[in-house]
Amino acid sequence: MIPILEPVAMWSCPNCPTEARLALPKPGQVHLHACSGLRGLLAPLLPAGTKAKVVVVEREDYVRDEIVQRDPELGRPVMSVVTTRDEGQDTIVFAPTARADAT
């Protein structure tokens, strides 16, 4: 029996030295990694050679009791990570987590 192998490609990050040889993602999926260039926040891996800019967008509204994603080094609340390429723009949104007290 001959195993069927999935097609693989080289993936890299424009903000850090991370490179990986991974299977092609299914539609709607993306390869993520903890990016050292973005202080450990989740960022996408892009096909090697893709010209792109990946930036962190700080949250600009008031944070009260919400549980939000914070920048590990600066402690500031983070709203999203935006990837801009020639073909368009993708966004990873860190939505706040609601909590309730049952008393």
Side-chain angles (χ1 to χ4, degrees), residues 14-29:
N15 290 359
C16 72
T18 301
E19 290 184 342
R21 188 172 180 83
L22 300 168
L24 297 175
K26 295 176 183 171
Q29 294 180 339

Side-chain angles (χ1 to χ4, degrees), residues 63-84:
V63 177
R64 186 175 177 183
D65 294 335
E66 296 172 317
I67 301 169
V68 297
Q69 174 73 45
R70 292 188 179 271
D71 185 307
E73 289 181 14
L74 303 176
R76 303 279 305 150
V78 175
M79 184 170 68
S80 62
V81 172
V82 178
T83 305
T84 305

Side-chain angles (χ1 to χ4, degrees), residues 11-81:
W11 298 83
S12 63
C13 177
N15 290 359
C16 72
T18 301
E19 290 184 342
R21 188 172 180 83
L22 300 168
L24 297 175
K26 295 176 183 171
Q29 294 180 339
V30 65
H31 294 300
L32 299 174
H33 73 294
C35 182
S36 60
L38 297 178
R39 300 178 293 278
L41 293 171
L42 283 181
L45 287 173
L46 304 172
T50 302
K51 294 180 183 177
K53 178 180 163 184
V54 180
V55 296
V56 173
V57 179
E58 282 190 9
R59 218 178 134 163
E60 298 175 351
D61 56 343
Y62 180 73
V63 177
R64 186 175 177 183
D65 294 335
E66 296 172 317
I67 301 169
V68 297
Q69 174 73 45
R70 292 188 179 271
D71 185 307
E73 289 181 14
L74 303 176
R76 303 279 305 150
V78 175
M79 184 170 68
S80 62
V81 172

